[in-house]
Amino acid sequence: MSAGTAPTRTSARPTPMLEMAGVDVFYGPVQALHRLSLTVAPGEVVAVLGGNASGKSTTIKSALRSVTPSAGRMWLAGEPMEGMSTPDVVSRGVASIPESRRLFAEMTVQENVLMGLYTQRRRLSGRQVRERLAEAAEPFPRLRERWTQLAGTLSGGEQQMVAMARALVQRPTMICIDEPSMGLSPAFVDTVYEVLTAWKAAGTTMLVVEQNAHRSLELADRAYILQNGEVVLAGTAADLRGDAAVQRAYLGGAA
């Protein structure tokens, strides 16, 4: 277990799905990330943990290129990400489940899920679109009952299911997930993590930003802990669950 500070890319290991090396991000004069380095291997679930203003969401935004680092390097499946836009990243198979879901409230559940195919629909036949929709809805029986209901009338947990289905419909190579349990009842948190666990078993690559350390460390293979935009601990999820400092700061007790 160590702080994750790897300023240069190495080539003696399999190509990561995502790699960030020495990344700095600023919002005006405020530095949100300080030489952040992390990797996400194909088929791996990586969690990024930390409190408010720790840089967690900025990490996801950097991976999706919705913010542009001022320093450092990034690669997506071995391809340099300099000059990539968010649509470029999405077109390469990266899906997003954003914080607060960000649905179109005046559109139906089905229409919101279809938005996940926005960059692909010209390449898909009507039959293929229907197949994708059926696949995306399959983990969420409740959505089928609300397929024609306006998304803005759903509960927070149901809206999270729509956001997850919208990502799944893309058949993504990687999913970036920002605060999947935020604002949800315990029952819906259980449902969300049951689905994420099933995705993991199917080999889905995921980068998960979370404040719920218990659930994310149960799900993840590895994790990074951020404070003030810096990686202060990194290691396997099992090692971090057993770390006394992590126990005290994030898990409510001592190891």
Side-chain angles (χ1 to χ4, degrees), residues 126-147:
R127 178 183 58 81
Q128 289 171 320
V129 170
R130 290 190 294 272
E131 288 175 353
R132 294 284 192 96
L133 287 172
E135 287 175 10
E138 193 276 331
F140 309 105
R142 188 177 300 212
L143 292 189
R144 274 297 189 188
E145 301 169 5
R146 292 159 171 74
W147 211 228

Side-chain angles (χ1 to χ4, degrees), residues 113-177:
V113 175
L114 272 171
M115 289 300 295
L117 293 177
Y118 182 78
T119 64
Q120 302 180 31
R121 288 193 68 178
R122 291 183 180 179
R123 304 195 304 268
L124 299 174
S125 67
R127 178 183 58 81
Q128 289 171 320
V129 170
R130 290 190 294 272
E131 288 175 353
R132 294 284 192 96
L133 287 172
E135 287 175 10
E138 193 276 331
F140 309 105
R142 188 177 300 212
L143 292 189
R144 274 297 189 188
E145 301 169 5
R146 292 159 171 74
W147 211 228
T148 60
Q149 188 170 329
L150 296 182
T153 66
L154 302 178
S155 70
E158 291 165 343
Q159 289 185 9
Q160 183 71 347
M161 292 178 186
V162 177
M164 294 173 77
R166 182 180 58 193
L168 190 60
V169 79
Q170 300 173 49
R171 293 183 179 171
T173 56
M174 184 173 77
I175 306 178
C176 293
I177 309 170

Side-chain angles (χ1 to χ4, degrees), residues 61-86:
K61 291 175 181 177
S62 298
L64 293 167
R65 303 300 286 185
S66 59
V67 299
T68 303
S70 61
R73 299 289 309 279
M74 296 177 60
W75 297 265
L76 182 62
E79 182 180 357
M81 296 182 73
E82 286 81 1
M84 284 190 192
S85 64
T86 299

